[in-house]
């Protein structure tokens, strides 16, 4: 037991050092990469455990933020892991429950007078009505899986290489696969460019779109091109324009398209849709527009749990206002009967249903299909997608 105590004490010191240096002004993953470069004395097992402890610490969200880091971490390790030396050393009476299903562990803690579920996700009063609050909050205690989308011609090759490299996978859609989080795909050089890392819910977000050969489409907030690649996966014979507010991001899109061997010709424009863009767009009109709107990202915080602490409630209205503004401008460039596909990775009604209500009332659009893509029961992100038609 003494050996385990010393090991746990060192693990906690590493965690405290990392947590003390984290300024909450960047993703935790990016910070930890720099932290390990600055602390080269830490071995690979030390780095893995420090990452685990840091992520688990943030996974319990707003719960027990007033308690000291050790007590919070013990609670997090008990809830998020099936085996934990930290729990064994500091809460040995909990250890017999460590491998129980999550609901049973939560029930055990309730019996100890420890109630925290409503605090995991402190913004739950803003959740879209269709979301199961309890299931959504609990999902933050479980690390999401990794998902990839494979090019249609490469299914057999990718499956063979995954098997050859002993990476377990589960086919969940014709071209979609679930893998363990942290699978080292970058080490398999033979399948570079044959797949895209893309969450399952993101892959499903364009299921609401009605895509036909030869149509003209505009990805209005293209970023690095994930939705554009998904669009072309569904129908490569399109006239495509992509735009973003940042030229550097569009250059990343070019590199990503090149790696994916995209043969469809596409046009690019740098556009700020918070301002009038008529002088750039002129008489452009499209059969379809994808607007993957800037949003809180609240449906993805299972992957970035540190965001729960960094986010403030007033930002929800700010995002909602931004979304209404840019979507209204984008809708002006639809052909009559053209479709607008509105997407967010948010779970807040102000960014989802309330924006759709606004677009119907103010922008000459009619809602045809709305889909809340709930990922919280399947270890994926949660997203929102809707198709509206220009009247």
């Amino acid at each position: 037991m003494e050996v385990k105590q010393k090991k746990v004490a060192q693990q906690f010191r590493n965690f405290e050092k990392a947590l003390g240096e984290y300024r909450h002004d960047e993703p935790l993953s990016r910070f930890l990469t720099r932290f390990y470069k600055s602390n080269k004395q830490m071995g690979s097992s030390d780095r893995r455990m420090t990452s685990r402890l840091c992520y688990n610490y943030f996974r319990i969200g707003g719960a027990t933020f007033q308690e000291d880091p050790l007590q919070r971490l013990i609670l997090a390790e008990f809830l998020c892991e099936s085996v934990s030396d930290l729990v064994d050393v500091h809460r040995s009476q909990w250890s017999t429950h460590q491998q129980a299903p999550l609901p049973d562990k939560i029930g055990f803690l309730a019996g100890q007078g420890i109630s925290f579920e409503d605090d995991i996700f402190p913004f739950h009063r803003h959740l879209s009505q269709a979301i199961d609050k309890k299931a959504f909050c609990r999902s933050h205690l479980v690390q999401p899986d990794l998902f990839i989308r494979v090019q249609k011609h490469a299914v057999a090759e990718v499956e063979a290489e995954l098997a050859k490299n002993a990476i377990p996978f589960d086919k969940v859609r014709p071209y979609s696969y679930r893998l363990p989080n942290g699978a080292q795909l970058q080490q398999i050089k033979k399948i570079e460019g044959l797949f895209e890392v893309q969450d399952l819910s993101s892959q499903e977000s364009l299921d609401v779109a009605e895509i036909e050969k030869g149509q003209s489409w505009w990805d209005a907030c293209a970023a690095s091109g994930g939705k554009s690649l998904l669009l072309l996966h569904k129908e490569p014979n399109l006239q495509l324009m992509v735009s973003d507010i940042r030229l550097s991001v569009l250059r990343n899109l070019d590199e990503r398209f090149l790696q994916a061997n995209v043969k469809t010709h596409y046009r690019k424009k740098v556009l700020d849709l918070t301002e009038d863009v008529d002088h750039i767009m002129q008489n452009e009109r499209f059969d379809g527009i994808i607007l993957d709107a800037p949003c809180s990202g609240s449906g993805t915080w299972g992957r970035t749990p540190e965001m729960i602490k960094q986010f403030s409630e007033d930002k929800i209205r700010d995002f909602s206002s931004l979304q209404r503004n840019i979507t209204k401008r984008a809708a002006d460039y639809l052909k009559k009967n053209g479709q607008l596909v509105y997407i967010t990775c948010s779970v807040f009604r102000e960014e989802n249903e309330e924006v759709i209500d606004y677009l119907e009332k103010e922008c000459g659009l009619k809602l045809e299909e709305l889909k809340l893509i709930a990922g919280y029961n399947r270890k994926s992100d949660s997203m929102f997608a809707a198709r509206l038609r220009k009247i």
Side-chain angles (χ1 to χ4, degrees), residues 194-205:
L194 299 182
F195 69 92
E196 294 292 327
V197 174
Q198 187 173 36
D199 183 79
L200 182 60
S201 296
S202 183
Q203 294 183 45
E204 293 178 356
S205 64

Side-chain angles (χ1 to χ4, degrees), residues 43-273:
S44 58
S45 60
D46 291 331
R47 294 194 296 270
R48 283 194 299 271
M49 181 55 69
T50 300
S51 294
R52 164 178 152 170
L53 295 179
C54 285
Y55 274 98
N56 284 346
Y57 177 85
F58 287 113
R59 284 199 178 283
I60 59 174
T64 65
F65 260 129
Q66 302 307 314
E67 292 196 28
D68 70 80
L70 178 58
Q71 301 308 312
R72 178 181 170 81
L73 192 57
I74 293 168
L75 177 63
E77 277 282 291
F78 176 70
L79 289 166
C80 299
E81 303 292 341
S82 59
V83 176
S84 172
D85 288 344
L86 186 78
V87 174
D88 290 346
V89 168
H90 292 282
R91 290 287 189 280
S92 58
Q93 67 274 28
W94 292 8
S95 295
T96 55
H97 301 271
Q98 185 77 59
Q99 296 187 27
L102 180 58
D104 291 353
K105 290 198 278 191
I106 292 172
F108 165 74
L109 290 174
Q112 305 293 306
I114 302 173
S115 180
F116 58 89
E117 279 197 271
D118 282 348
D119 297 324
I120 292 176
F121 193 81
F123 315 106
H124 55 77
R125 70 185 186 91
H126 296 277
L127 291 174
S128 292
Q129 187 175 359
I131 289 177
D132 182 329
K133 171 189 161 185
K134 178 181 286 188
F136 177 73
C137 290
R138 288 184 176 185
S139 72
H140 290 79
L141 303 174
V142 180
Q143 185 181 47
D145 285 330
L146 174 69
F147 295 89
I148 62 173
R149 177 177 52 78
V150 176
Q151 293 185 12
K152 293 178 180 179
H153 70 277
V155 168
E157 183 177 357
V158 171
E159 287 187 1
E161 286 300 314
L162 291 176
K164 181 179 177 181
N165 286 270
I167 296 178
F169 62 88
D170 178 27
K171 193 171 189 176
V172 292
R173 280 165 63 103
Y175 307 103
S176 306
Y177 295 80
R178 179 194 302 271
L179 286 73
N181 198 291
Q184 300 298 307
L185 297 179
Q186 69 274 13
Q187 297 180 4
I188 311 178
K189 300 302 182 182
K190 288 185 178 180
I191 60 174
E192 282 186 355
L194 299 182
F195 69 92
E196 294 292 327
V197 174
Q198 187 173 36
D199 183 79
L200 182 60
S201 296
S202 183
Q203 294 183 45
E204 293 178 356
S205 64
L206 285 189
D207 288 356
V208 301
E210 295 182 345
I211 309 164
E212 297 180 12
K213 182 177 180 179
Q215 287 180 328
S216 59
W217 279 79
W218 171 28
D219 187 350
C221 296
S224 60
K227 295 300 186 301
S228 289
L229 286 170
L230 180 60
L231 177 68
L232 295 175
H233 177 87
K234 290 177 173 291
E235 176 50 71
N237 297 305
L238 296 174
Q239 302 169 51
L240 176 64
M241 187 178 89
V242 298
S243 70
D244 198 87
I245 194 172
R246 301 152 294 180
L247 177 60
S248 60
V249 170
L250 291 176
R251 287 173 177 157
N252 292 337
L253 179 149
D254 287 335
E255 293 178 6
R256 193 172 177 186
F257 274 34
L258 181 64
Q259 185 177 40
N261 196 29
V262 169
K263 298 187 183 302
T264 303
H265 174 72
Y266 62 96
R267 296 180 295 134
K268 295 182 299 182
K269 289 184 186 292
V270 176
L271 295 173
D272 182 354
L273 289 174

